[in-house]
Amino acid sequence: MLLGFAVVAGGLLFAATSLQAAKTTDTINPGIPTKAVGPAITQPIAYSHQLHAGKLGMDCGYCHTNVGKSAIANIPNVSTCMGCHNYVKKAAGQTQPSPEIAKLTKYYEDGVSIPWVNIHQLPEHANFNHKRHVKAGVACQTCHGPIQTMPVVYPVKKLIMANCIDCHKANRENVNTPTNLDCVVCHK
Amino acid sequence: MSDEINEQPLPLRRREFLKLVGVATAAGAGAGCLEFPPPNELIQPYVTAPENIIPGVATYYASTCRECPAACGLHVKTREGRAIKLEGNPAHPVNLGSLCARGQSALQGLYNPDRHASPKQRQADGTFKEITWEEAEKLLAEKLAAPGGAIQFWTGQETGTRAALYDAFVGALGSAERVVHEPFAWEALREGNRLAFGRAEIPTYDFAAAGSVFTFGADFLETWISPVEYARTFAARHGGDKLELGRLITFEPRLSLTGSNADEWVAIKPGTEALAALAMAQVIVAEGLARGSTGGLDLTPYAPANVAEQVGVPADVLGRLAREFAANGPGLAIAGGIAAQSARATHAVVAANILTSVGGGLGTALHFGRTLDLGRTQSTRELVPAIERMNGGTVGVLLVHGTNPAYSLPGALGFETAAKKVAFKVSFSIDPDETSQLCDLILPDNHPLESWGDAQAWTGVRSLLQPAMRPVFRTKSTPDVLLAAAKTLGKAQGMLAAATWRDALTAAWGGPGAAWDAALAAGGSFAAPAPGTATLAGGLGSLAFTAPELGGDAAGTPLVVYASPNMYDGRGANKPWLQELPDPVTKVVWDHWVEIHPDTMKQLGLKRGDHVALKTPTGTLETAAYDYIGIRPDVFAVGTGQGHTAVGGRYWKRGGNVAGFLPATYDEASGALAYVAVRTSLNKTGKKYKLAYLGGDPYTGGQSRQMGRGIAQAIPLTELRPTEHTEDKRESHMSEHGDVEHAGGHGDPMLHLPGFIGSPVPADPIAHAAKEAPNSAYAKHAKYKWGMVIDLNSCNGCQACVVACSAENNVAFVGKEQVDKGREMMWLRIERYYEEHDGKLEVRHVPVMCQHCGAAPCESVCPVYATYHNPEGLNAMIYNRCVGTRYCSNNCPYKVRAFNWFHYDFPVPLNWQLNPDVTVRDKGVMEKCSFCVQRIRDAKDHAKDEARDVRDGEMVTACQQTCPARAIVFGDLKDPESRVTKLVEHERGYKIFEEINTYPAVTYLKKVTRDVPV
C-alpha cells in the first residue's frame, strides 16, 4: 500500500518469471492482493524481502527450496543464508558491517536456529500442500501478496477457509487444474 | 489485530511471549490453545539441513527388528528425524514386507518414557543418581581393571558382529565369561533335531509345502521361531483360495491362537506330545502307509491302545488322524513350543520328527536348506554353575545386556541373591527392568532403532541394523562403550582395535564402499537358500519315550505355561500398545489371568475375574481367573510376560510373573527350563478384582457367540468343492430367492421372518459398487472408489493390523479402566467367535473396522455434517467439525466408532511417534477408521507428480501393509483389473449385516472349514 502501483505492475511481471511459468488462466491467479490483513510482525533478524526478492531479484525458490517437493514450504536453513552472507557482511553502500548480518552469523556459529515468527499460520486442523499448488501454477504472490515489495512481511490474505474455497470452487471445471472440494483433502 | 500495516515496532511484551512459544515446524503437535486467534507460533528452520531430510516428506531407512530372534527386516519411516512407523522390508526373505504386533510396537520401546535416559550410579541410600558418560565410563574401566574376582557378562541371544565383539571383549579381559540367557531359545528343538538328524539346528519348516500340519504345542503363528514367516507360508497353503485337503491339527491341552486356526483340536494331557506323535506314527507304519523311516525306533510299545489313557485321547481318534496324516502328505509334525516345554520337550521334538518322516515330510516340508542360527546360547540348566559362582563370592564384576534374569529365571534359581553377592554390577539395559534395578552402574545402550549392528539369523540372510534417528535420550551404544573400555585397559587388539562400533561393523562387512552402501540400502545381504534335505539318523531305537512327572502335590492340577503372543517373555510389557492390545485368545487387556475350564470354574465356585492364588512348593502366583472353553477341564494355563515388579516401568506392574514362580526343573535332554513342570492348587484370595476386556461388559465385550448374526461366516470345503455325494447338499443351501450368491448364509434368520423382504444382492458388483452410494451423483466425478476385501480364510487373528493402525493413525491408549467401560479407541479390532459343531469347537477371527458404508446410518444423523461420504467412497470424518453428539456411534451397526471421552495423553516422548499427516484428536471428537486417507492422499500426490493414476497395489492401508498372512486387500473398485474388483465377486464373498442395506465397502471372504477329512 505504501509502495505504489508501479511496484504492483512490476510484481505481476515478477510473478510471470517466478518459480514456475505462471499459467495465464485467470481463475488460478486472479490477482495479487495488496491490502494488509495483519500486522508486519518484527522478526528476530530484520530480513528484507524487498531487498532480496525485489531489488536483487532472487527467485522465491532459491531459499524456499521445498515448495515444489513437499507439503511444507520451508523457511530456508540458516546455512542457506550463510551461502552468501559468509562473504557479504555489509549492506550495499555501507562501510560498516551490517548488525543484522552479524546477528545471522552469530546464530549460525552458535548452531542456534533462528526463531522466525510465523506470519502465515494455518490452524492445525487444516492441511495445506504447497507442492500441489505450486505445480498447479499458483503464483506465490496470489496468496502471499507482493512479497518482493515488503521490507517486513505482512499477511494479505486471511488464511480462512472461505478464501481457499473461493478459488477451489471457481476452478472445479478448470481443464488444466481442476480443484478438489472434498473436505477430507484438507481436513484429513 | 489491526488491518493496517503497523509500522511501529511491536511492544516488547508480545515478543517476550512469543519467545516462550517454540514450535519446531508448522506441523508439530502443539499444546492446546484456548485463545482465539492463537498467538503466532515460531517457525524454525534447520541450521544446516541433514542431507536426507525434506520436511514434510518421509525418509525410510532399512534396519532389522530385534523384538525376537527371528530378526525380520524393517523399513523405518522417519519424518524430520523421528522414526514414526515401522514396516516390514519387502526385500527381506524372512518377512517379505510384513511385521507382527510386537515388531510394530518396537516404536513404543524406542520412545518409552521410562527408558533409562542417562547413565546412572547407585548411591549409598539405594537411589540412582544421573552421572555423565565420562564419569560412568571411567568407573567402568576402573572396575574392569581391578575386578576383585572373575567377570561375568550376561547377554541375550546375539549373532553376527555384536556377538563377535562381546566374545572378543570377554576374551581380552581374561578370567571372564559370557553367559547367554535368552528365555525362549528353543533348546529342546535344537537338541531334538540333533538326536533325530544329527544337526543341532533349527531347520526350515516350509508350511507352504506341507499337506497336513500336526502341531504339538508349537505356536508357529504366535511366538515359535519365526511367526511372521510362518503366518505367510501357512496362509499360502491353507488360506486364501487354497482348497487343499491337508488340515492343521493341533495337539495341546490348551487351545492357543495357533490352535484356534486349526481344523481340529485334540486336547492331549500336558507333556504327552511325544506319546501322541509316536502313537500316530505307529499306526502309519503298521498299516503300511509310511513314506520314511522311524530311525530304528520300534513303535509297537507306543500303539494308540497302549498310550491312549496317558495321552487322554481315544485310540480310535489317534488312528483316524494318523491315517489322515499319511493320506494328505507331505506331512509336517512340529513340536518344541514353550507351552509344551516339559521335562520331555526334546523327546517330543524327536517324536514329531519321526512322525514327519513317516508322513513323507522330510526334504520337502522340513529341510536344512536354510537354518536358524541363534548364536551361542546356553540352556537354563547351563546357567546354574554361573549362578553358583556368583553365589560363592568369586565373581567381582557382573555385566548385563539384553537379558533380564532377575525376572525371567525362576526365583528358585536364586539369581538375585547370587547377584547381590557380586561387588560391582553393571547394566547396559534400555528399560528400567528388574535386573538393572539391582545394579550399581547403569550404562544404557541405544535402542536397536538407534543402533548400528547386524543379525545373522537365517542362513544366507545377513540383516543390517542402522540408526534411523539420533538417540532419543542420553544413551550410548554398548559396543562403543566396550571398545572405549578396551582401549583404556590397553586391550584394544584385533576387533577391539576398531575406533568405533560402526567401523568394526563396516569392517566385518568388507569395509566401506559400494557393496556396503548397497547392503545398507537393501537392509542386508540376502542369498537364496540352498536346496535342503533332512535325513533321520539311525539309532533312535535306544530312546525311551515317557510322559514327564510333574512336580508339586499329586492332588494339584497341572499348570500349562504358554508364551503370551503380546508380552512374549516380558520384554514388551511396558509398551501401552501391547498392554492395551487384547490377548488374541481371551481379549483381556492390561492384565494377567489363569485360564480354567468353565466346568472346573463352577466346581471351584469361581466367577470370571475372581482374584486367585496358585500355590506350588516353590512359590505363589496371584492372578485372576478366566473361564475358557479351549482348555482341558483338568488343566490350568497361565501366560508369560506380566508381573513385572521393577519400579521404573509405569505400565508393566500388573499381574503375576509365572517364570519367576516356576520351580527350577528342566527338560532332561536339553536343559531348557521346563515351563510345564508342576501341579498347583488354586484358591480365591478374597481380594476384589476385575478383568477388563475389549468392549467392556464381559457379556457383550469379548463376546464369543454370533448368535446367528452372520458376522464371521464360514463355508465347508465340501460345499465349495462338492464331490458326488455332497452335490445335493449344496443345492439346498441356495437361498429361497433363487440368487446363487445369496445374502446371509449361516446368519440370515431375518429372511424367515414374516413380512421381511430381503434386499437382493445385485448380479453386477462392479456397476453396483460404482453407483451404490446414494449421493452417487457426487461420486461420478471421482476417478476412484476405494474398497477392501478381507479373506477370513487367511486371517489368523494375530492383531498385527491393530497395532499398525494405532501407530499409523495416532490412536490413543486409554488404560484398563476406560476399556472396561467400552471406551477403547482402537479403530480396528479382531472379533473372536466360537462355533460348535457336534461338540467340536471352531474359532473364527474377523477383523472389523469402519465399513465405509454406501448408505451409512452414521452420515445422515450428524447434525453438523462432520461425517459424510466422500466422492471416492470413504466415509470421511472431519474432526474439527465434530461437536460430540455421538449420534453417529449410536447408529453404527458395526460399533466401529470411538469417541474421545477425555483428553488422552501421549506421555513424552511417546508423542514423538505421532504421525504428522494425521490429526491428533482431542476430547469431544469422534474418530474411526479412515481407510488410511492420508496414505490415499499420498499415493494420489505421487501419482500426480508423475502425471498418472494410482496403480493397483500402490495404495496400501496400514493394516494391509503389515498383515503377515496377506489377508487384507485394498484398492480401486472402479478399476476392472484391480485385485479388489476381482475379489469382490468372489464366490466366498459376503458383507456383514448385508440385510440391513448399509452397502459396506468392505467385503469378507468366508473362512473355509475342513470338518471332514478324506
Side-chain angles (χ1 to χ4, degrees):
Chain A
M1 207 153 79
L2 301 169
L3 300 161
F5 292 99
V7 187
V8 175
L12 277 169
L13 190 64
F14 185 87
T17 56
S18 88
L19 197 58
Q20 316 283 358
K23 306 274 194 310
T24 50
T25 44
D26 285 334
T27 48
I28 293 283
N29 291 308
I32 301 176
T34 51
K35 182 166 180 283
V37 297
I41 298 174
T42 310
Q43 300 284 348
I45 296 178
Y47 170 79
S48 167
H49 279 92
Q50 186 184 34
L51 168 63
H52 292 77
K55 181 153 172 253
L56 297 176
M58 287 168 72
D59 190 73
C60 311
Y62 181 86
C63 295
H64 297 278
T65 49
N66 293 332
V67 270
K69 296 185 208 161
S70 162
I72 299 173
N74 60 317
I75 296 294
N77 307 315
V78 184
S79 59
T80 307
C81 309
M82 294 311 287
C84 290
H85 287 292
N86 224 352
Y87 311 101
V88 178
K89 298 292 186 189
K90 295 192 220 135
Q94 298 293 320
T95 46
Q96 294 307 309
S98 154
E100 298 302 315
I101 298 176
K103 274 192 216 168
L104 167 70
T105 314
K106 182 162 194 313
Y107 274 112
Y108 183 74
E109 282 167 0
D110 290 349
V112 175
S113 176
I114 303 169
W116 302 109
V117 179
N118 192 355
I119 305 295
H120 302 97
Q121 192 166 302
L122 195 63
E124 277 179 46
H125 56 258
N127 297 287
F128 178 79
N129 189 331
H130 269 97
K131 171 164 69 151
R132 288 266 68 86
H133 289 79
V134 162
K135 289 200 173 195
V138 181
C140 313
Q141 287 82 351
T142 303
C143 300
H144 293 290
I147 294 269
Q148 72 280 3
T149 66
M150 301 179 188
V152 187
V153 175
Y154 53 88
V156 298
K157 219 180 183 106
K158 267 204 160 68
L159 296 181
I160 53 176
M161 185 165 153
N163 285 335
C164 305
I165 294 295
D166 282 345
C167 183
H168 272 250
K169 258 203 180 135
N171 288 286
R172 287 284 277 147
E173 308 294 332
N174 187 312
V175 173
N176 294 322
T177 54
T179 49
N180 208 331
L181 257 188
D182 189 5
C183 312
V184 81
V185 169
C186 304
H187 293 293
K188 57 183 176 183
Chain B
M1 278 210 271
S2 159
D3 268 4
E4 310 292 332
I5 295 176
N6 185 351
E7 289 186 291
Q8 308 298 324
L10 288 162
L12 198 59
R13 59 177 166 81
R14 186 197 200 120
R15 199 173 191 185
E16 292 303 316
F17 178 82
L18 290 172
K19 277 186 179 155
L20 294 172
V21 181
V23 175
T25 68
C33 200
L34 298 173
E35 274 184 61
F36 188 83
N40 288 55
E41 295 176 336
L42 299 181
I43 179 169
Q44 296 190 258
Y46 285 109
V47 175
T48 310
E51 238 181 79
N52 296 328
I53 296 183
I54 295 177
V57 177
T59 311
Y60 291 81
Y61 294 97
S63 188
T64 306
C65 179
R66 299 301 294 126
E67 298 297 311
C68 88
C72 294
L74 283 180
H75 273 175
V76 186
K77 177 181 180 187
T78 67
R79 273 288 295 270
E80 290 93 51
R82 299 185 316 281
I84 60 167
K85 180 75 172 42
L86 298 179
E87 302 188 347
N89 178 351
H92 198 279
V94 174
N95 56 325
L96 290 181
S98 51
L99 200 61
C100 73
R102 293 193 304 276
Q104 287 285 347
S105 305
L107 283 175
Q108 288 208 328
L110 171 67
Y111 294 124
N112 202 288
D114 299 323
R115 263 177 78 180
H116 284 306
S118 70
K120 296 175 187 165
Q121 189 179 5
R122 179 187 288 278
Q123 305 299 296
D125 62 356
T127 58
F128 283 96
K129 176 168 155 260
E130 289 190 6
I131 55 176
T132 64
W133 273 101
E134 295 90 274
E135 292 172 305
E137 292 190 74
K138 184 159 164 286
L139 184 54
L140 174 71
E142 269 172 30
K143 294 295 177 181
L144 289 176
I151 300 173
Q152 280 192 8
F153 187 4
W154 283 60
T155 72
Q157 171 264 338
E158 287 289 349
T159 55
T161 316
R162 191 188 271 245
L165 185 88
Y166 285 170
D167 289 331
F169 184 74
V170 160
L173 285 177
S175 141
E177 56 170 333
R178 186 176 151 219
V179 182
V180 183
H181 168 53
E182 178 75 28
F184 300 162
W186 322 120
E187 302 99 309
L189 196 49
R190 285 179 285 153
E191 180 61 14
N193 289 336
R194 188 188 70 77
L195 289 172
F197 304 114
R199 302 178 66 157
E201 292 164 296
I202 296 174
T204 302
Y205 293 102
D206 191 354
F207 293 91
S212 298
V213 178
F214 280 21
T215 166
F216 298 86
D219 54 332
F220 64 92
L221 296 175
E222 298 158 80
T223 67
W224 190 69
I225 308 174
S226 191
V228 175
E229 181 187 345
Y230 297 152
R232 180 183 76 252
T233 53
F234 180 67
R237 178 75 182 198
H238 190 268
D241 283 323
K242 287 293 187 304
L243 299 177
E244 264 51 77
L245 295 168
R247 303 201 298 159
L248 168 66
I249 318 279
T250 179
F251 297 81
E252 50 189 1
R254 174 247 175 203
L255 192 66
S256 59
L257 173 69
T258 308
S260 75
N261 289 289
D263 299 295
E264 192 170 333
W265 170 40
V266 181
I268 58 172
K269 288 190 183 159
T272 60
E273 290 80 18
L275 299 176
L278 292 177
M280 290 186 284
Q282 192 275 334
V283 171
I284 294 175
V285 168
E287 297 188 7
L289 305 166
R291 288 195 257 168
S293 83
T294 66
L297 179 67
D298 174 20
L299 292 170
T300 344
Y302 306 105
N306 299 340
V307 300
E309 205 193 305
Q310 272 190 292
V311 172
V313 173
D316 59 314
V317 172
L318 291 170
R320 165 173 68 81
L321 293 170
R323 279 168 220 116
E324 179 187 328
F325 192 72
N328 298 296
L332 175 64
I334 49 177
I338 297 299
Q341 199 158 291
S342 66
R344 296 282 180 277
T346 302
H347 283 185
V349 173
V350 175
N353 289 333
I354 292 174
L355 182 58
T356 306
S357 171
V358 303
L362 292 185
T364 47
L366 192 165
H367 63 81
F368 286 86
R370 188 174 251 158
T371 60
L372 177 66
D373 178 13
L374 287 168
R376 185 168 69 79
T377 59
Q378 288 167 286
S379 71
T380 310
R381 188 168 54 200
E382 286 171 320
L383 302 176
V384 173
I387 299 176
E388 277 169 3
R389 282 193 280 280
M390 282 198 286
N391 223 3
T394 56
V395 177
V397 173
L398 171 67
L399 310 166
V400 184
H401 180 279
T403 184
N404 189 8
Y407 169 82
S408 50
L409 285 177
L413 275 175
F415 174 85
E416 210 174 303
T417 327
K420 287 193 171 135
K421 294 196 181 145
V422 177
F424 196 71
K425 302 175 277 298
V426 180
S427 167
F428 298 104
S429 173
I430 296 173
D431 288 317
D433 60 22
E434 287 76 7
T435 311
S436 76
Q437 198 170 252
L438 294 175
C439 292
D440 303 294
L441 180 63
I442 297 176
L443 304 170
D445 192 4
N446 289 337
H447 188 274
L449 290 170
E450 301 163 335
S451 300
W452 289 100
D454 60 4
Q456 300 257 139
W458 294 93
T459 330
V461 180
R462 296 179 76 202
S463 310
L464 269 175
L465 279 89
Q466 62 172 315
M469 60 185 285
R470 286 183 169 216
V472 178
F473 298 106
R474 207 159 53 85
T475 56
K476 197 166 178 190
S477 150
T478 297
D480 275 320
V481 171
L482 297 181
L483 284 172
K487 283 181 190 55
T488 314
L489 296 169
K491 309 233 185 211
Q493 286 97 30
M495 191 180 185
L496 300 173
T500 65
W501 165 232
R502 182 182 175 173
D503 294 328
L505 178 71
T506 320
W509 279 70
W516 168 246
D517 292 341
L520 271 180
S525 82
F526 313 128
T533 55
T535 340
L536 213 56
L540 296 180
S542 57
L543 296 173
F545 297 82
T546 54
E549 288 295 316
L550 298 178
D553 187 3
T557 308
L559 181 67
V560 167
V561 176
Y562 61 90
S564 158
N566 293 359
M567 297 305 145
Y568 200 67
D569 55 9
R571 64 185 70 185
N574 205 41
K575 296 171 182 157
W577 280 339
L578 287 178
Q579 287 283 5
E580 190 142 313
L581 188 69
D583 176 71
V585 170
T586 60
K587 303 301 176 190
V588 174
V589 300
W590 290 98
D591 227 315
H592 188 245
W593 60 92
V594 54
E595 291 165 7
I596 308 171
H597 193 274
D599 296 343
T600 316
M601 287 271 277
K602 225 181 283 178
Q603 268 174 22
L604 295 170
L606 291 170
K607 279 182 349 290
R608 183 183 284 192
D610 279 349
H611 201 248
V612 296
L614 299 168
K615 270 203 187 70
T616 69
T618 45
T620 307
L621 182 71
E622 288 197 358
T623 183
Y626 181 92
D627 51 319
Y628 178 38
I629 56 174
I631 192 170
R632 284 182 63 97
D634 56 2
V635 161
F636 299 147
V638 158
T640 58
Q642 293 277 34
H644 282 270
T645 52
V647 298
R650 67 186 73 183
Y651 298 119
W652 64 16
K653 286 195 282 288
R654 52 193 67 249
N657 176 10
V658 68
F661 140 96
L662 285 170
T665 51
Y666 311 100
D667 168 40
E668 268 175 34
S670 69
L673 179 67
Y675 280 98
V676 180
V678 77
R679 292 171 186 278
T680 179
S681 68
L682 190 149
N683 294 294
K684 267 198 261 204
T685 62
K687 289 189 201 160
K688 277 192 115 162
Y689 203 77
K690 197 166 194 239
L691 282 177
Y693 329 81
L694 189 68
D697 183 320
Y699 184 73
T700 57
Q703 183 173 34
S704 36
R705 306 287 168 169
Q706 296 191 71
M707 297 192 278
R709 288 174 291 169
I711 300 170
Q713 296 187 22
I715 185 166
L717 178 60
T718 47
E719 203 171 299
L720 268 182
R721 292 288 173 267
T723 61
E724 279 175 355
H725 310 286
T726 57
E727 197 66 64
D728 324 77
K729 277 203 204 132
R730 186 156 195 261
E731 289 290 331
S732 70
H733 272 269
M734 284 170 69
S735 94
E736 287 152 11
H737 293 262
D739 290 336
V740 174
E741 196 191 318
H742 71 300
H746 289 277
D748 201 0
M750 298 286 279
L751 277 176
H752 305 290
L753 289 177
F756 182 82
I757 302 168
S759 61
V761 176
D764 181 354
I766 298 177
H768 178 78
K771 68 169 169 63
E772 69 190 23
N775 44 351
S776 58
Y778 188 35
K780 259 205 292 258
H781 283 281
K783 216 177 299 181
Y784 311 98
K785 185 188 191 325
W786 302 109
M788 184 181 273
V789 174
I790 300 180
D791 193 341
L792 299 186
N793 202 29
S794 296
C795 173
N796 61 46
C798 72
Q799 301 185 130
C801 52
V802 178
V803 186
C805 170
S806 300
E808 171 78 22
N809 293 294
N810 305 339
V811 178
F813 52 89
V814 303
K816 176 176 170 178
E817 213 184 290
Q818 294 304 311
V819 177
D820 190 43
K821 293 185 173 150
R823 295 173 175 171
E824 69 278 356
M825 299 305 294
M826 281 171 275
W827 289 9
L828 170 57
R829 63 175 184 270
I830 308 289
E831 304 197 333
R832 179 265 297 120
Y833 292 109
Y834 298 129
E835 298 284 319
E836 275 168 294
H837 318 275
D838 309 315
K840 288 195 185 162
L841 176 65
E842 185 211 330
V843 183
R844 296 188 194 164
H845 300 283
V846 52
V848 179
M849 72 289 278
C850 172
Q851 305 283 292
H852 295 271
C853 304
C858 60
E859 289 166 8
S860 44
V861 295
C862 177
V864 294
Y865 204 67
T867 187
Y868 71 102
H869 215 74
N870 99 336
E872 293 182 353
L874 261 52
N875 176 298
M877 185 66 213
I878 308 301
Y879 307 114
N880 51 299
R881 197 154 169 94
C882 175
V883 292
T885 57
R886 307 186 291 282
Y887 199 161
C888 54
S889 172
N890 191 54
N891 257 25
C892 176
Y894 306 96
K895 285 292 168 269
V896 288
R897 284 174 164 274
F899 185 69
N900 285 273
W901 292 94
F902 298 100
H903 167 81
Y904 295 117
D905 226 0
F906 292 93
V908 174
L910 284 173
N911 61 338
W912 291 29
Q913 181 276 326
L914 294 173
N915 186 349
D917 286 338
V918 178
T919 309
V920 180
R921 288 77 60 189
D922 207 338
K923 177 161 121 178
V925 159
M926 188 67 76
E927 60 183 66
K928 63 170 187 69
C929 162
S930 60
F931 267 178
C932 280
V933 65
Q934 70 281 359
R935 287 177 171 238
I936 295 177
R937 299 297 314 148
D938 221 30
K940 290 171 77 177
D941 187 42
H942 285 135
K944 206 164 183 183
D945 283 347
E946 295 175 14
R948 57 168 177 81
D949 289 343
V950 177
R951 295 186 195 115
D952 184 38
E954 210 183 339
M955 167 52 215
V956 174
T957 56
C959 51
Q960 175 188 12
Q961 196 284 323
T962 205
C963 177
R966 315 285 199 251
I968 302 177
V969 180
F970 184 84
D972 179 18
L973 288 170
K974 282 190 175 175
D975 174 3
E977 295 306 310
S978 74
R979 281 183 68 205
V980 213
T981 311
K982 299 199 167 130
L983 286 172
V984 156
E985 38 180 331
H986 199 281
E987 57 179 335
R988 287 188 287 127
Y990 75 98
K991 299 197 203 255
I992 300 180
F993 300 155
E994 207 159 359
E995 61 273 14
I996 58 175
N997 296 332
T998 48
Y999 294 103
V1002 181
T1003 304
Y1004 290 85
L1005 303 185
K1006 294 179 192 174
K1007 176 183 171 190
V1008 178
T1009 53
R1010 293 168 169 77
D1011 291 335
V1012 182
V1014 166

